[in-house]
Amino acid sequence: MTLQTDAPAAAQDLDSPDGGLSAADLAAKYGLSVSGARPGLAEYTRQLWGRRHFINEFAKARTQAQYTDARLGQLWQVMTPLLNAAVYYLIFGLLLGTDRGVDNFIAFLVTGIFIFTFTQSSIMSGVRAVAGNLGLIRALHFPRASMPIAFTLMQLQQLLMSMLVLFSIVLMTGEVPTWSWLLAIPALFIQSVFNAGLALIVARLGSKMTDLAQLMPFILRTWMYTSGVMYSISNFTKTAPYFVKILLDVNPIAVYIDLMRFALIDSVTAEEMPPHVWAVAIGWAVVVGVGGYVYFWKAEEKYGRG
């Protein structure tokens, strides 16, 4: 019987210049890297900026395709918040009387509905930004943050088209355009940064928690009822405990709604606004925008993986 050994092969491995090197050492020696590895934050941001045209075109394409199966098409972008406003006016304005003590309640309500819908839609589309586009994510290499940011941009584009209707309603209720209307521009920009941060956060959560999309409507509905969309927070908190007033005043959605109402409606004065409202609005945008971006980036390697 002849005993066979692998001694020649082992000797050959030892003689090889790569003999004895681990996989990590071999990768370092030949300059190899993990496919789809997460780049540094600065490099990731540079790559994301390089995809800005893709983000813009993707948002426009999704906007145009969203209502292709509906006969009224893009009109639903405007009709949805208007129908919501009509329902809430019937229930809260006429039946529950939350219009008491609020001048120009129709403009007050419609402004709140449009601004809240912007954040609501950004969050709902952000939840599915990764989980609902796995085919594209697995087929192409690009910064995955492009997806939730594109969906936020899509909602901003829809809001800008709806703003023409909002301005028309505000004018029909007796408001007169003033220089304060220009404040709507920075207010929308700040809210967009906040929305993008939220979309990034829920996109990462939704990529693993598939049931989050089913739970989110209930969370958003609760948030709406505590954001002063259908009532005046300053009137509501006159007899409320101080901590309740503070919590409602720093609610980010309520802050952005207040800024837009202050810009468009004459009867909403600075005295009715929370103190340091612009600082609070910018603070929320920076904290949520930057925090959401970093939070999403940390899981970059995991998106699209089984």
Side-chain angles (χ1 to χ4, degrees), residues 115 118-119 122-123 148-157 159-160 184-200 252-253 256 260 281 284-286 288-290:
I115 297 304
F118 177 31
T119 294
S122 298
I123 294 173
I149 292 175
F151 280 107
T152 303
L153 180 59
M154 169 185 163
Q155 301 305 326
L156 177 60
Q157 292 171 349
L159 176 66
L160 292 177
I185 298 173
L188 280 181
F189 174 76
I190 297 169
Q191 186 186 1
S192 298
V193 175
F194 173 80
N195 289 357
L198 274 183
L200 288 162
I253 297 299
Y256 297 128
M260 188 60 67
W284 274 117
V286 171
V288 176
V290 175

Side-chain angles (χ1 to χ4, degrees), residues 247-264:
L247 287 176
L248 293 180
D249 279 347
V250 299
N251 177 352
I253 297 299
V255 169
Y256 297 128
I257 291 174
D258 282 342
L259 289 180
M260 188 60 67
R261 285 171 175 163
F262 176 71
L264 301 181

Side-chain angles (χ1 to χ4, degrees), residues 31-45:
L32 303 177
S33 61
V34 178
S35 177
R38 182 188 71 195
L41 187 59
E43 174 61 19
Y44 187 75
T45 303

Side-chain angles (χ1 to χ4, degrees), residues 125-134 137-138 144 147-148 199-213 295-296 298-306:
S125 58
V127 171
R128 304 182 182 91
V130 173
N133 294 277
L134 289 178
I137 288 173
R138 289 169 177 168
R144 307 315 189 195
M147 303 305 293
L200 288 162
I201 292 171
V202 298
R204 175 175 171 177
L205 295 175
S207 66
K208 294 299 181 183
M209 300 166 53
T210 55
D211 290 335
L212 185 61
Y295 177 72
F296 185 90
K298 282 183 174 294
E300 178 72 12
E301 297 176 353
K302 301 177 182 178
Y303 303 126
R305 302 277 175 95

